[in-house]
Each structure stands twice: as C-alpha cells, then as structure tokens.
Amino acid sequence: MYHNKQIAVFISHIYGEYQTNLCQGILDSASEYGYHAEVFTTSDGENLGVFNRTEDHVASLPEYSDYDGIIFASGTYVNQELKKTLSRTFQDYEASREKEGRFVVEISNDPSPFLSVVLENNVTTGILTEHLITAHHATRICYLGTTLDPLYSGKRLKAYEDALQKHNLPISPEHIFLCEETEASYREALRAFTENGKNLPHAVVCYNDRLAMELIRTAYEAGYHVPADFAVVGCDQSKSGQSMDPPLTTVTFPAYQLGQTAVKSLLAGFKNAADPVTTVFAEPVYGGTCGCDRYGKKPAFLYARELTERIADVEKSILESLRMSSYLPMIDDVDEAISYLEDYASGIKNLSGFYLCLYPGWDKPDAALADLALHTGKNIGPEDPADTEPADQVYLKLAIQNGEKLPECTFPKKSLLPGFLTASMEESVIISPLSFGERLFGYIALSFHGDRIHYPFQLIQWITNISQLLEKIRSKKQAMLLTGKLEDIYYKDSLTGLYSRDGFDHFYEDRFRSLILIDFADYQKICSKYGVQEGDFALTVIGQAILSQQSKSLLCAHIRDGLFQIAAEEDGAFCEDLIAKIRKYLTHYSQLNPRPYEIKARFGFAVKAETDLPFDALFAAAEENLK
C-alpha cells in the first residue's frame, strides 16, 4: 500500500554502480521505517545534446508539500548549474516547511547548507600504507595518483605521506607519480618506481582500483609479478579488482551504507536530534596483492559469467535501440507507438510498473506558429486529448502494473501518478523527465518488484528514443499547421477571410446540394464615388455577415469583386433561412453604422435536382434567381 509518509530522492546517473547501491540503501532503509520514496533522476552532463537541455526541469516535477523530507545526492551531479538550482529549490523548501520539521539531507563531501552525510575513504589509504609497513615490513613505498582528479588524489596522497611520517620513513618526490591514465603514463610510472628496473619498490599505493589494476597489468607485461616482486594496493573496492588472482587489497566504497545513513540522519532531523554532519568511514579490504595470504576469493568464473551477461545485455540493447530508431520514425501518432512501448517495457528486468505521463499541450506547436495560427483562425487541433485537458491535469498515456495494461486517464498535476494506482502500490517509483531541446513533454515513472532497482544504462537510449518520438509527432503537427497556414494564404481571400475562387474550386465536393450567390453590384459605384478603400470596406462587412453564419456544412467564397458564393449541404429551405439572416445582419449593420452609402446585395440560390446538376448549370440557375 502506498505510504502516507514520503521522502523525495534526487540523484543523477542512477544506472551507475555507486548510484544504484546508494539509492538501494535509501529505499531499503526508508521502507524499514515506513516511508515511501519517490526518486527523481537525470543524466546531466552526458553531452546528449538536445535531450538534456531541460534537465533542470526535474526540480519542477515534484509537489514538495507532499514530502516529509528530501535526500539530495548532490555529488552525483555533473552539471554544476543544475546542482545549484536544486540546492536553491531545496533551501526554499526547508525554509517554508521549517515549522513542520521537514528537512533536507545532502550526501556530499562539500560544505552544505543542509544536514549532510559524508564519505571518508581517503584516510583509509593511510591505514593501508601502515599495513604495508607493519605487516609486510615495506619501507620503500611509492604513490600513484592521477591528474584527472587532483582534489581526491591529493587527499589520498596526504594520507600516504602522514603514514610514512608516522613511521619515520622518508617522503621522496621520486616515489610519487601523477599519471594521465594512459598506457604511456602507466609505463612511465613503472619506470620511475623501479628506477628503470634497477631498484624495485616494496609497494605501490594507488589512488583507486582502476589505477592499481592498470599498474599491475603494465608490470606483468614488463615481466614483474605482484605481489612477488612488489605489492600494490588500491581504493574504492571494485568487482573486477576482487575477481583478480590474487584479489586486490583495497578500501571499501560503502555506497549502500551511505544511503542508509542518509535516511537515519533525516529521521533524526525530524526529532531535532541530528548531527549537522554524519561521516561514514570506509574500511580496508585485505586481498592478496599486498602480500597477505589469508583472504577470501570468489571463483573467477563467476565474474567472467557476469561480464558475459553484461556484454550480452549491451549487445541486445544496441540492437533494440537500432530497431527502435528504425521503427519510431515511421510512427505519426503516439497511439501507434503504445503497443511497441508496451512490448519493450515487458523486457525490463524485475519491472513492476511502467507509466508514461504527458503534460497537457505536450504536442503544441512553437509559440510563434501558434500565435500565427490564432490570428489567422487556423485550428491547432482541439480534438486531441492533450489539447482539451485542463492545464492542471496530466495525461497517463500508458500504464502497465504487474504485467497488466491499465486504461488511459487524466489525473491532477500535483500528483505523480493517479490515486487508483498509488492506492495499491508498495514499491517506490523512479521518475525520469522526457524532454527535447527546451521542451518538457512529461516523464516516465518506473517501479521494481521488492524495490530491487534494475535501471541499466540501456534505459537512457530508450528514454532518448521516446523523447525523439514525441518531438517528431509534435513537429509533424506543427508542419501540418504551417501547411494549413500556407494553404490559407493560397486559397483564402485576404480581404474577407473567405475562400478565393481557387480555394472554392479546390474544396468543392459533390456532397453540396445547393448554391447561394450574393451579388454586391454597387461595389464599383462606391469605389468610383468614395474611393477603393470604402468599396473594400463594404466587401469586408459582407464577408463578416457570411462568416457569422459559417458552419462545417458550408463552403463560402469571395470569387471576384462584389460576387460571393456559398455551397451548402442543405436544401432550399435552409438557403432561404440563411439568406434572411445575412440580409438581417447587413440591415442592422447599416442602422448602427451609418455611412454615405447603403451596403445591400442581391441574393439567389439553386438546388440540385434528383439527378446531380453540373456546377456550371447550378451556378447559372442561382445567378438567374438573383433578386
């Protein structure tokens, strides 16, 4: 059942291993304490072009008053401007809800205006350095850092240096190398540490596991063996490092624990018992690359199997993306795509719910074109559901819950999902915006059985394809509107707004049963006596009189100066009634707006007989009846 107590989680790149574990820790701990979590995720900073220009709109998706608190994983955001936007939004939230005791917890090692949870996994590098000294009697210990992350590489270098000083070992610049993380730089580091093979180090402390494994590979290619020739340790425990033989000695990366701690800090804040900063400490993991011979090791084939499955998933996703990219361009309407999206959603592992939510007016044309259409009377398409729904409603276009497709519906915009869904929902939801350029279409909400997150990177391709599809549909609608405007220019009479002769000829069909002629015979006289401007003014008045009676069953045109014709689907009685209404309009206008001339016209009509009458004969008959 959907919990009454809710927290919002903001995290970027949820498909990353760290982010997934962090989010899983939040969801599990929140559920344990009776809270439901709604997770808002983006892929900012990934250079997706027009697909991530509207990432900042993620801040506008939630109804903040619904949440008891917010957890902000700010360290996962690459886009600094987006991070600042979210931070300002959350500060406003916290200030407005201060009396209600609602808080924000930020997971970040940077200074924070909120309650914060920080990860300390730098000093543990010093603990590993001490382990090399005390357990393995190493004295000549080198440090391999990186130029790509100078801040944290520098912090771990400091921990390494402190450990050496503590044990009265010299700190030598020749023992420190900051690499560019290229093959050439790893080879250069190895030459420096081994003094070109003349003097091997006892051990090398590396900034992280990736650098450690690259150094071990480079050493192996040069004929060295770890730890037989020298020890190597890393940091930020990785699966690949733990699958080596022997496993890499490293430092944990307790992402799951960070998530749990963030929830506990938030709950402590509700009770005014939270520390401003809560630190989660990483711990050493003693593998075999440091020289230890007592370590647990999983069979290598398990990791090989995992890699094989991962590669197969990537290959499948590439093929699926290609298939989607080739199929979606042929779709002209969102309804056509639903069965395809439904089929794809069924292939997402552990998925319990898939919800495609579109904002009202998601397919509206650009403002300039819409304004052009408005001023020309062109219909933008009110027959579409997205056009007729109120602005405060969201359109649930596709809903799949536990494998069952549910009916389409609208629901209040202040809710992420309609009440009939959330009433029985046990899992948290993960929200991803759908956008293209500066336009936000809506969002996709996903839920997973047992809150076991499976949000692979491949979903980004899929979401991108959906966004592209929505933009294509919107663009086509815009093109149709523009085409309609061009048709208006070509087929409409600019003076009266009625069809021209060409327009009448183009749209005339056999379904019309009668023809009305309106002859404003005084047009030339008025032009001669009062000027062309006055003559044209009189024509516009007659045009307005005709437009006031416009309906779908009529085709109205100004075919030449002073001569109008109306094709109607109805019979003679209708024509007589219509003529009477237009006469009345002109009479009232002349009475209310006296001019030096009277705007009056002759009227005549003709109706097709049982046998279809050719248009020329129908026109001649109507002309003969002018009076």
Side-chain angles (χ1 to χ4, degrees):
M1 184 167 181
Y2 206 80
H3 303 262
N4 290 325
K5 298 186 294 184
Q6 295 191 84
I7 61 173
V9 180
F10 284 79
I11 188 168
S12 186
H13 301 77
I14 194 173
Y15 42 81
E17 183 178 351
Y18 162 70
Q19 288 90 333
T20 297
N21 291 333
L22 175 67
C23 199
Q24 194 66 67
I26 294 172
L27 298 189
D28 289 350
S29 189
S31 177
E32 180 183 349
Y33 290 101
Y35 282 83
H36 179 267
E38 292 179 340
V39 183
F40 299 87
T41 184
T42 62
S43 296
D44 63 289
E46 287 299 335
N47 193 25
L48 296 177
V50 294
F51 294 106
N52 60 3
R53 288 184 194 167
T54 53
E55 295 281 12
D56 55 338
H57 284 291
V58 71
S60 67
L61 292 178
E63 180 66 29
Y64 289 97
S65 61
D66 290 343
Y67 301 110
D68 297 284
I70 295 172
I71 295 177
F72 178 30
S74 64
T76 63
Y77 287 85
V78 179
N79 185 331
Q80 296 302 307
E81 287 303 314
L82 175 57
K83 187 195 301 189
K84 291 176 183 177
T85 297
L86 291 170
S87 183
R88 287 192 296 267
T89 301
F90 301 154
Q91 289 179 62
D92 292 342
Y93 160 83
E94 198 171 61
S96 65
R97 319 299 293 184
E98 186 175 2
K99 293 182 180 179
E100 301 175 25
R102 303 193 180 192
F103 293 90
V104 177
V105 171
E106 183 172 7
I107 302 173
S108 173
N109 281 23
D110 296 327
S112 171
F114 313 110
L115 297 175
S116 64
V117 175
V118 302
L119 171 64
E120 177 47 74
N121 64 344
N122 300 310
V123 297
T124 320
T125 300
I127 295 175
L128 287 186
T129 305
E130 287 197 60
H131 171 74
L132 293 168
I133 296 169
T134 59
H136 301 288
H137 312 293
T139 56
R140 187 171 182 268
I141 304 174
C142 301
Y143 177 78
L144 178 61
T146 177
T147 60
L148 304 185
D149 190 358
L151 176 61
Y152 290 102
S153 181
K155 288 183 177 182
R156 292 173 188 177
L157 172 60
K158 179 68 166 55
Y160 152 85
E161 292 175 335
D162 289 345
L164 293 182
Q165 287 182 333
K166 180 178 177 180
H167 292 271
N168 298 314
L169 293 176
I171 300 172
S172 173
E174 289 77 18
H175 295 167
I176 299 170
F177 191 94
L178 303 182
C179 71
E180 298 174 351
E181 301 192 30
T182 63
E183 290 193 13
S185 66
Y186 292 128
R187 289 193 295 269
E188 187 179 351
L190 183 64
R191 285 194 295 270
F193 293 154
T194 63
E195 296 180 2
N196 288 317
K198 298 176 183 178
N199 187 18
L200 299 185
H202 295 152
V204 180
V205 176
C206 298
Y207 160 69
N208 62 16
D209 280 13
R210 184 176 65 255
L211 267 64
M213 288 186 289
E214 287 295 336
L215 181 65
I216 291 172
R217 179 187 61 81
T218 304
Y220 180 79
E221 291 174 351
Y224 301 112
H225 294 86
V226 174
D229 292 313
F230 53 86
V232 175
V233 299
C235 191
D236 302 339
Q237 183 181 19
S238 64
K239 287 184 178 180
S240 52
Q242 294 309 295
S243 300
M244 291 172 50
D245 187 12
L248 185 65
T249 295
T250 185
V251 176
T252 62
F253 199 81
Y256 185 86
Q257 186 182 349
L258 273 174
Q260 289 181 308
T261 304
V263 173
K264 293 175 183 177
S265 180
L266 188 64
L267 298 181
F270 297 158
K271 301 175 182 178
N272 294 317
D275 293 325
V277 179
T278 304
T279 302
V280 175
F281 291 93
E283 297 179 354
V285 177
Y286 299 111
T289 58
C290 63
C292 290
D293 56 6
R294 294 183 179 179
Y295 52 81
K297 181 179 181 299
K298 294 180 180 180
F301 77 86
L302 293 178
Y303 185 60
R305 178 184 177 187
E306 180 182 333
L307 290 179
T308 301
E309 291 176 349
R310 193 182 303 176
I311 292 170
D313 282 345
V314 171
E315 290 175 344
K316 180 181 177 182
S317 74
I318 292 173
L319 293 174
E320 184 65 40
S321 182
L322 290 172
R323 186 165 72 93
M324 202 176 203
S325 298
S326 63
Y327 176 75
L328 293 183
M330 297 185 292
I331 295 177
D332 294 325
D333 186 87
V334 69
D335 291 321
E336 296 180 44
I338 292 303
S339 60
Y340 183 84
L341 299 180
E342 184 180 357
D343 178 62
Y344 184 88
S346 66
I348 301 175
K349 293 180 181 178
N350 203 43
L351 187 75
S352 63
F354 172 87
Y355 312 97
L356 173 61
C357 304
L358 299 176
Y359 285 141
W362 67 269
D363 57 349
K364 287 286 190 183
D366 293 335
L369 187 55
D371 185 63
L372 176 65
L374 179 66
H375 286 88
T376 56
K378 186 67 182 176
N379 190 355
I380 296 178
E383 70 280 359
D384 295 338
D387 293 328
T388 56
E389 292 162 9
D392 61 349
Q393 296 287 302
V394 177
Y395 186 37
L396 182 63
K397 185 60 186 174
L398 176 61
I400 303 171
Q401 191 172 59
N402 296 320
E404 180 183 355
K405 184 178 178 181
L406 304 178
E408 299 178 12
C409 68
T410 59
F411 60 94
K413 197 173 183 179
K414 66 179 183 178
S415 303
L416 286 173
L417 292 171
F420 78 90
L421 286 176
T422 57
S424 59
M425 184 179 292
E426 296 181 354
E427 297 92 355
S428 303
V429 291
I430 299 175
I431 312 297
S432 300
L434 293 171
S435 62
F436 190 98
E438 304 302 326
R439 184 175 294 273
L440 183 66
F441 299 122
Y443 52 89
I444 285 178
L446 303 176
S447 62
F448 296 91
H449 290 292
D451 269 344
R452 299 298 94 189
I453 300 172
H454 183 80
Y455 196 109
F457 177 77
Q458 294 91 303
L459 279 178
I460 301 303
Q461 298 172 309
W462 187 57
I463 289 173
T464 299
N465 277 324
I466 293 177
S467 296
Q468 193 166 11
L469 167 67
L470 296 175
E471 173 59 19
K472 175 183 176 293
I473 293 171
R474 189 195 71 86
S475 297
K476 182 180 179 183
K477 186 172 183 179
Q478 179 165 287
M480 291 175 64
L481 183 61
L482 182 59
T483 301
K485 171 56 184 170
L486 293 175
E487 286 182 349
D488 280 354
I489 293 173
Y490 183 75
Y491 289 126
K492 288 286 185 71
D493 172 47
S494 60
L495 184 64
T496 63
L498 303 173
Y499 283 111
S500 63
R501 179 188 288 276
D502 288 334
F504 187 92
D505 292 343
H506 180 79
F507 292 108
Y508 183 81
E509 299 174 354
D510 290 339
R511 63 185 173 89
F512 295 113
R513 299 183 57 212
S514 55
L515 181 68
I516 301 173
L517 292 184
I518 303 174
D519 181 23
F520 180 46
D522 293 336
Y523 173 71
Q524 294 297 339
K525 294 180 181 178
I526 294 173
C527 289
S528 299
K529 189 172 183 179
Y530 302 104
V532 174
Q533 187 174 358
E534 283 296 321
D536 288 347
F537 175 79
L539 291 179
T540 62
V541 172
I542 298 175
Q544 287 300 312
I546 295 171
L547 286 172
S548 69
Q549 306 301 319
Q550 179 72 282
S551 70
K552 291 183 178 180
S553 67
L554 300 179
L555 180 64
C556 308
H558 176 215
I559 60 173
R560 64 171 183 262
D561 290 345
L563 184 60
F564 300 82
Q565 61 187 26
I566 303 172
E569 296 179 7
E570 293 81 5
D571 56 16
F574 173 85
C575 294
E576 291 177 348
D577 182 60
L578 181 62
I579 290 172
K581 290 177 179 178
I582 295 174
R583 285 186 188 276
K584 185 176 181 181
Y585 181 103
L586 296 176
T587 300
H588 285 174
Y589 184 89
S590 296
Q591 292 173 347
L592 295 173
N593 302 277
R595 306 189 78 81
Y597 53 85
E598 184 179 0
I599 302 177
K600 60 182 180 179
R602 296 187 303 153
F603 294 83
F605 72 90
V607 179
K608 290 181 180 178
E610 292 292 333
T611 305
D612 283 348
L613 196 64
F615 178 79
D616 290 344
L618 190 65
F619 182 91
E623 189 175 31
E624 198 173 304
N625 293 328
L626 283 172
K627 56 182 178 180

